[in-house]
Amino acid sequence: MSAEHEPSSPGAADAAASAASNPGPTPSDAQSRTSTPSPGSASTPGAAAPGAGTGTAPGTAPGAGTAAERADAEAVGTGGGGAELLRMEGVRKTFPGVIALDGVDFDLRRGEVHVLLGENGAGKSTLIKMVSGAHRPDGGRILVDGEPVRINSAQDAERLGIATIYQEFNLVPDLTVAENIFLGRQPRRFGMIDRKAMDARAAELLARVGVDVSPRTRVRDLGIARLQMVEIAKALSLEARVLIMDEPTAVLTTEEVDKLFRIVRTLRADGVGVVFITHHLEEIAALGDRVTVLRDGRSVTQVPASTDQDELVRLMVGRSIEQQYPRERGDAGEPLLQVRGLTRNGSFRDIGFEVRAGEVVGLAGLVGAGRTEVVRALFGADPYDSGSVEVLGRPLPGHDVVAAMRAGIGLVPEDRKGQGLVLDGSVQENLGLVTLRAATRAGLVDRAAQRRSAAGVAERLAVRMAGLDQRVRTLSGGNQQKVVIGKWLLADSKVLILDEPTRGIDVGAKVEIYQLINELTASGHAVLMISSDLPEVLGMSDRVLVMAQGRIAGELTAREATQDAVMALAVKDVKDADEGVGGKEKEGSRGH
C-alpha cells in the first residue's frame, strides 16, 4: 500500500473532504530530522541490514538514553508475557529529507499489553505501519515467531495474524457497518455474498464492543466515537494474534474506554499480544505491562507500566513539565462574541452567552449535549432556526462561513484531517488557505508574500517539518494541529473556536498549544474551547459553560468550576427542554 499521492491544489472545501475521505496509513512521524540515507541501510525496501539490531537489548537503540534509562530497560527484562510473538531489530525508515526511525528495537510477547509512548513525531505511527504492511523498512529486520519476515502489504500482515486499528479511520462511508467490518472477507454461499450471515456476525462483534448500532447502518451516518468502535469490531473480526491499537481511546467516552479495556484484558488473557499507543498517561498503568519510549525516531528506553507519570513525561519529551495547564489569566475586555436565543430544532435551544476579549470560555457537557452543533452554527457551517450572533456588536448572518471569517471568527474543527486540512497540500498551502483571497490581486496570488507569512507562523508555532513544501499528511498529529491553528493566526481571527484542540496530541505539544492560547488572549483575542478532557477545561478556562440536553445548564467561574460541579450540571434535567433536543455530537467525552 502506498502512502504517496500527487499534490492537489488547496482552496475548496470539497477538496479537503476528498483528501480526507480515505486517509489510510501515512508517514505521519516523518518530521524535521534532516538526513541522508546511511551507507549501511539496505538498498531494497524491507531487506534486512546485515547485523542490524544484533547485540542490542530490546527497547534500546545503540547508545540511546542515559545510563539510568538503560538500567531501567535492563530491570524490565522481558515483561510478564509468554513466548515472543514479534520482534523488530535495528529498524530504520527515511522519507525525503527526514529520518522517521533510526535503529529502533521493539518486541512483543504473548499475553501482554506493550505500550508505545512518545511525542508526536517520535516515530510511533511509522513503526506500527511497518508491522501492518503500510511501509517497508529501509534497514533492520522484523521477526514473527522468531523467523524473519517481509510484510509488504496489509494482506501479508493479516496472514501473519497481525491486525491494526489506525488513528485515522479506514472505513468506506457509503458502505454499511457490516460491509466495512468484513470488507474483502465477506462470507459467501453458493458464490454469492451471504448478507444474512455477515450481518449476524457483525451484530455479534458490535455487541462485544458494546455499541448499539445496526449492522446495516451506513458508516457516513455515525459519529466519531461510534466509528472508532466499528474499527475495533473490524480488528476483532480478524481474530489476530497481534493487535496494534493506535490512540483507540482518543474519541471515546469514559464508559466506552472501560468497555474497551475489558475487551483488551480478555484478549490478553487469551494470549493475544497488544501494542497500545496512547497519550493519556493514566491509561498506561491501568492497562499496560511494559512501556517502550521513543524519542526523535529512536527507542530510548523500556520501563514498567507502573512507572510514575512525571518520569514517563521526562523520558518522552527529554525534560520535565512543571505545569500541565499554564493558564495566565488577565482582565476580560469588551464582548467580542455575543449569542442570543440561538435555536436549531432537534439539536439545541435558546443558547445565549458572550465571550470577551482576553478570556477563554470553556464549553463542557456530555456526548449529545449539542456543543459541536452550536459552534458549527456560530461559524456558519450549519443553519439555525432562530436567534442571533454578533461579533464586535455587529450582526452576523446565519449559515454563511465567508461572512463569519470576514467578521473575525475562526474554527479549529475536532476532525482536523477531514475538515481542517487539505492533506495532499503542502504546509505552506494549508497555512495560506484562509488568507488566499486577501493575497490575490487581479486573479493572481502573491505567492512570495504567502510563503513569507507561512514561514513566520510556522516558526512561531515551532512546526516540526522538513520544509514548507512538505505535505501536511506526512506531519504528526500535533504538527498538523499547529498548521490548522496557524492558518487562523495568519487571518488574525478575533474569536478562535477550538473544538477538541489537543485530542491525540502528546503532553509536550499540548503545553505549546496552551501557551499559544495565552498569547492570543494576552493580545486581546478571545477563545471559545470545547474539550472532552475535563481537567483541560478546568485548567485553561476563565469561565465554563455547561450544556445538557441541547441547553446551557449553567455557568461557572474558574474558582467555582470543579469536576463535581461540572458533572452536576452536565447531567441536569433541564426544565422545559423539548423532547429530542440534543445533538448527535461527533466527539467523545473523556474525563466526564
Side-chain angles (χ1 to χ4, degrees):
M1 182 185 302
S2 172
E4 291 299 312
H5 300 266
E6 289 302 314
S8 61
S9 176
D14 58 347
S18 173
S21 62
N22 184 22
T26 62
S28 63
D29 290 303
Q31 298 303 318
S32 59
R33 295 183 288 279
T34 306
S35 71
T36 55
S38 66
S41 57
S43 58
T44 304
T54 57
T56 305
T60 59
T66 64
E69 290 167 346
R70 291 194 294 273
D72 285 338
E74 293 170 3
V76 173
T78 59
E84 186 174 274
L85 289 173
L86 172 71
R87 174 175 289 273
M88 305 179 79
E89 296 179 344
V91 172
R92 178 181 172 85
K93 181 65 180 179
T94 62
F95 298 103
V98 295
I99 299 174
L101 295 174
D102 190 9
V104 169
D105 298 318
F106 180 82
D107 69 281
L108 178 70
R109 308 183 75 82
R110 281 177 51 88
E112 76 161 347
V113 176
H114 194 151
V115 178
L116 198 55
L117 185 65
E119 289 187 278
N120 295 111
K124 305 183 299 297
S125 292
T126 300
L127 188 70
I128 66 171
K129 286 170 184 174
M130 288 186 185
V131 179
S132 62
H135 296 324
R136 301 172 189 173
D138 299 328
R141 62 178 187 164
I142 301 174
L143 299 92
V144 175
D145 295 325
E147 297 293 327
V149 297
R150 292 176 182 267
I151 307 176
N152 297 324
S153 66
Q155 289 72 29
D156 288 347
E158 220 173 275
R159 282 191 288 270
L160 291 167
I162 300 170
T164 303
I165 301 171
Y166 287 109
Q167 186 176 0
E168 310 95 349
F169 301 136
N170 282 323
L171 300 171
V172 183
D174 288 325
L175 295 184
T176 68
V177 169
E179 288 167 339
N180 271 279
I181 289 175
F182 293 102
L183 190 61
R185 302 175 292 111
Q186 299 93 330
R188 293 182 179 273
R189 189 178 183 208
F190 305 123
M192 305 290 287
I193 294 176
D194 188 343
R195 293 192 175 275
K196 184 176 180 180
M198 182 172 68
D199 288 347
R201 176 61 179 143
E204 293 174 6
L205 291 164
L206 293 169
R208 186 177 176 188
V209 299
V211 60
D212 183 19
V213 173
S214 167
R216 298 187 179 184
T217 300
R218 299 222 175 258
V219 162
R220 69 165 58 255
D221 296 327
L222 300 180
I224 286 182
R226 287 184 171 183
L227 289 175
Q228 181 68 81
M229 300 308 281
V230 171
E231 282 279 22
I232 294 168
K234 180 179 176 181
L236 293 179
S237 74
L238 296 171
E239 299 182 353
R241 299 186 305 142
V242 174
L243 179 60
I244 302 170
M245 311 181 84
D246 188 1
E247 293 282 354
T249 66
V251 298
L252 302 183
T253 66
T254 301
E255 182 181 357
E256 289 165 336
V257 170
D258 290 341
K259 291 177 183 176
L260 175 62
F261 280 15
R262 287 195 292 270
I263 293 168
V264 172
R265 291 182 183 115
T266 300
L267 292 171
R268 176 170 58 187
D270 291 340
V272 175
V274 179
V275 181
F276 195 85
I277 297 177
T278 182
H279 287 308
H280 294 285
L281 299 184
E282 71 277 4
E283 295 176 351
I284 295 174
L287 191 66
D289 296 302
R290 291 187 289 163
V291 180
T292 288
V293 182
L294 298 187
R295 190 195 308 155
D296 295 330
R298 297 184 178 184
S299 41
V300 174
T301 190
Q302 190 181 104
V303 296
S306 57
T307 301
D308 180 75
Q309 289 188 19
D310 291 339
E311 176 64 8
L312 290 175
V313 171
R314 187 190 67 78
L315 292 170
M316 181 169 61
V317 303
R319 66 188 188 279
S320 297
I321 293 180
E322 303 299 332
Q323 193 174 359
Q324 191 172 2
Y325 303 108
R327 177 66 182 136
E328 298 172 3
R329 294 183 171 89
D331 295 329
E334 64 176 332
L336 297 185
L337 174 67
Q338 294 174 294
V339 181
R340 296 186 181 92
L342 205 66
T343 298
R344 186 168 82 221
N345 295 330
S347 292
F348 51 83
R349 177 170 293 279
D350 198 26
I351 301 298
F353 62 88
E354 65 180 24
V355 185
R356 294 177 173 271
E359 71 172 348
V360 177
V361 175
L363 195 55
L366 299 176
V367 170
R371 297 172 297 169
T372 292
E373 282 76 9
V374 167
V375 298
R376 283 180 58 84
L378 294 180
F379 187 63
D382 295 330
Y384 54 87
D385 297 315
S386 62
S388 65
V389 179
E390 293 183 1
V391 179
L392 288 171
R394 298 177 180 175
L396 183 68
H399 204 196
D400 190 337
V401 171
V402 174
M405 291 166 56
R406 287 175 175 168
I409 298 180
L411 172 63
V412 175
E414 60 168 346
D415 182 5
R416 59 176 171 262
K417 292 176 184 286
Q419 299 172 356
L421 295 166
V422 178
L423 292 176
D424 284 328
S426 68
V427 173
Q428 176 184 328
E429 289 168 334
N430 275 274
L431 285 171
L433 281 176
V434 180
T435 55
L436 189 62
R437 187 187 302 271
T440 302
R441 296 289 183 275
L444 298 176
V445 178
D446 187 347
R447 295 193 178 277
Q450 285 279 83
R451 190 170 186 86
R452 287 193 299 272
S453 298
V457 78
E459 182 179 1
R460 176 184 173 187
L461 297 179
V463 178
R464 296 176 64 186
M465 58 183 179
L468 290 172
D469 296 324
Q470 183 176 348
R471 292 181 185 179
V472 162
R473 75 162 60 244
T474 66
L475 297 178
S476 70
N479 287 290
Q480 287 179 342
Q481 188 73 329
K482 289 178 181 180
V483 172
V484 179
I485 294 173
K487 67 183 182 183
W488 296 111
L489 295 185
L490 284 177
D492 194 28
S493 300
K494 298 301 180 185
V495 179
L496 186 58
I497 303 171
L498 303 175
D499 194 352
E500 302 291 354
T502 64
R503 175 176 287 164
I505 293 176
D506 67 76
V507 64
K510 283 183 180 181
V511 172
E512 292 177 352
I513 289 177
Y514 298 152
Q515 294 288 13
L516 176 61
I517 291 173
N518 285 335
E519 291 177 21
L520 286 170
T521 55
S523 62
H525 296 70
V527 174
L528 177 62
M529 181 176 71
I530 294 177
S531 177
S532 296
D533 184 350
L534 187 50
E536 178 176 79
V537 173
L538 300 179
M540 290 302 298
S541 300
D542 302 311
R543 290 186 291 124
V544 178
L545 305 173
V546 184
M547 288 191 64
Q549 302 176 24
R551 305 282 293 269
I552 291 182
E555 177 180 328
L556 301 168
T557 65
R559 185 182 297 274
E560 296 168 337
T562 63
Q563 294 203 26
D564 288 343
V566 171
M567 281 304 300
L569 290 171
V571 299
K572 183 178 179 181
D573 184 12
V574 183
K575 293 181 179 179
D576 301 324
D578 289 354
E579 185 176 356
V581 171
K584 294 189 295 182
E585 281 193 349
K586 297 181 180 180
E587 76 258 23
S589 187
R590 287 305 304 267
H592 290 190

